[in-house]
Amino acid sequence: MASSLNFLIITLLIIGCCLATYSDIRYGKISNKLIMIYGSVPFLLNALQIMRDDAIVTYAVNALIVIIIAILLYSFHVWAGGDCKMMIWIALSTPADLYWIISGKIYVFWWVYIFIFSFGFIYLCVDNIRLFFCEKDILNKEFIEELKTSLYRYLRTIIYLAAIGHIYLIFIFPHTKFPMAVYTIACIVIVLVTTHIKLLANKWIVGVVALIDLICVILTRNITINTLWYSYVVVIILMILRTISKVFNYEDIKTKDIEPGMILSQESSILFQQSRVQGLPGISDETLKSRLTRDEADAVKRWGKSKYGLKIIRIVKKMPFAIFITIGWIVYFILGCVYFDN
């Protein structure tokens, strides 16, 4: 009975994920209606099975971790609301007895994020390598400056992550052992916070934290990166995913083709500031917060026809996360079926 129910749940999940992927690529969004139709049935079936199998604790802990990470990624504009809802739907609908089990230990479902961002990272690398060889004027000043900024951002993140590692190993680990998932979530939060809070980017503050890290290494003779390397891998992949796309993150389109939900480049949005056209958006910060509303998109089209308007405008390319969520979840499921005895 359980295997038949699991088969039905997985089938509905795969159909829903494929439709969400199509919607994300074709229309740039995942509708609430699609989530409700293909999310409610597998969730209810899964809930009934979990209560019958007495797996509520395992399910609740795993689902909660995945949901927290999904909401954090949405809160810091790593992905859109539709991606967040899709991930929550998958977390609530995946049967608990399909989680990986190795040597009697449950490998929590949040590992699916490793696959999601790994495939996203591969996509960005391939796409950027293609653009690197296609672009004639690639080694320009803007490109070099972005590389320098990215390198400093990586270094700064490693310094803060090392500080968190020392705090954990010195003050927390001797008294209690947190699940590695909790530590990884803390690392992700640190990455996102240090990216958004300008004060933490101050070179003097970064220098002081780096000095404290060095003192801790000397006193404890322990480099936290060696001890907790897998958590660093997760967050560094996440960070690279956020920054590498900035090098080739733009696309030029006709102003008349602007649609709601698109994100203007900061350079393009600045052009509106002296215009008399009503309803134009403010200066874009190139995150999901700056997605155009329908009224703003219409105003941009009117601006394009005005005296000082342009026929071509630059937008930020949207990364279709739904396909990586789908592939990451399917890979997790297949590996569990093939290699891990549940």
Side-chain angles (χ1 to χ4, degrees):
M1 178 65 180
S3 59
S4 300
L5 197 56
N6 283 346
F7 178 79
L8 178 59
I9 293 172
I10 295 301
T11 301
L12 291 172
L13 278 171
I14 291 176
I15 294 173
C17 285
C18 290
L19 291 174
T21 297
Y22 173 79
S23 177
D24 193 28
I25 294 174
R26 179 68 177 83
Y27 304 107
K29 63 180 181 179
I30 303 172
S31 68
N32 291 332
K33 185 177 180 180
L34 190 151
I35 296 288
M36 289 298 296
I37 292 174
Y38 288 94
S40 57
V41 175
F43 167 67
L44 291 173
L45 292 174
N46 191 32
L48 291 173
Q49 178 175 254
I50 286 167
M51 287 187 289
R52 185 193 65 196
D53 296 343
D54 196 25
I56 187 66
V57 175
T58 300
Y59 167 78
V61 170
N62 281 272
L64 183 61
I65 291 172
V66 173
I67 290 171
I68 289 174
I69 294 176
I71 293 173
L72 285 173
L73 294 176
Y74 170 69
S75 300
F76 288 96
H77 314 294
V78 175
W79 60 20
D83 304 315
C84 178
K85 287 179 285 188
M86 180 180 177
M87 196 65 226
I88 292 174
W89 153 47
I90 290 174
L92 293 175
S93 302
T94 299
D97 56 355
L98 295 182
Y99 297 152
W100 290 1
I101 297 179
I102 306 175
S103 301
K105 291 185 178 180
I106 295 178
Y107 272 56
V108 289
F109 185 54
W110 64 267
W111 267 64
V112 72
Y113 282 111
I114 296 177
F115 298 119
I116 291 172
F117 287 106
S118 294
F119 286 115
F121 178 64
I122 292 170
Y123 163 80
L124 282 178
C125 288
V126 172
D127 189 48
N128 289 338
I129 289 171
R130 177 184 64 82
L131 290 172
F132 184 89
F133 287 105
C134 291
E135 292 286 341
K136 295 180 179 179
D137 187 30
I138 192 63
L139 293 176
N140 52 33
K141 185 177 180 181
E142 182 181 356
F143 177 79
I144 299 299
E145 287 301 316
E146 182 59 40
L147 286 181
K148 290 180 180 178
T149 302
S150 296
L151 288 173
Y152 172 67
R153 191 179 292 117
Y154 295 147
L155 178 62
R156 186 179 72 212
T157 301
I158 289 295
I159 289 172
Y160 281 117
L161 287 177
I164 292 297
H166 287 304
I167 292 173
Y168 174 73
L169 292 175
I170 295 173
F171 298 105
I172 300 176
F173 184 77
H175 306 288
T176 182
K177 294 182 180 179
F178 285 165
M180 193 48 58
V182 175
Y183 181 81
T184 302
I185 291 175
C187 289
I188 292 174
V189 172
I190 290 298
V191 170
L192 297 174
V193 168
T194 55
T195 302
H196 286 77
I197 299 180
K198 293 182 178 180
L199 179 63
L200 296 178
N202 183 283
K203 293 182 179 179
W204 286 102
I205 294 177
V206 174
V208 171
V209 176
L211 180 60
I212 295 173
D213 285 340
L214 180 60
I215 293 172
C216 289
V217 169
I218 294 172
L219 294 177
T220 63
R221 297 181 180 179
N222 191 345
I223 300 177
T224 57
I225 293 178
N226 290 336
T227 307
L228 304 165
W229 64 271
Y230 27 84
S231 292
Y232 291 103
V233 169
V234 175
V235 295
I236 292 301
I237 287 177
L238 171 61
M239 187 170 182
I240 292 175
L241 188 66
R242 282 177 56 87
T243 58
I244 193 173
S245 60
K246 286 191 175 182
V247 180
F248 307 106
N249 200 32
Y250 305 102
E251 179 181 1
D252 292 332
I253 66 171
K254 294 180 180 179
T255 306
K256 67 178 182 179
D257 294 333
I258 283 289
E259 297 290 342
M262 289 183 174
I263 303 173
L264 296 173
S265 70
Q266 190 174 79
E267 174 187 11
S268 295
S269 63
I270 290 175
L271 299 174
F272 303 150
Q273 302 312 302
Q274 302 302 321
S275 176
R276 295 184 179 180
V277 176
Q278 298 296 315
L280 287 169
I283 296 178
S284 171
D285 64 359
E286 300 188 357
T287 69
L288 293 170
K289 289 190 300 183
S290 296
R291 285 182 295 182
L292 295 175
T293 63
R294 181 167 295 279
D295 291 340
E296 289 173 339
D298 291 339
V300 172
K301 291 178 181 178
R302 294 198 303 272
W303 171 83
K305 298 176 182 178
S306 66
K307 182 178 179 180
Y308 298 104
L310 299 175
K311 293 182 178 180
I312 301 295
I313 196 166
R314 179 165 290 184
I315 63 171
V316 178
K317 290 191 294 186
K318 181 184 182 297
M319 185 172 179
F321 256 112
I323 188 170
F324 304 123
I325 294 174
T326 300
I327 294 173
W329 174 75
I330 290 176
V331 168
Y332 179 94
F333 169 66
I334 292 175
L335 287 178
C337 292
V338 174
Y339 291 105
F340 305 127
D341 182 17
N342 288 303

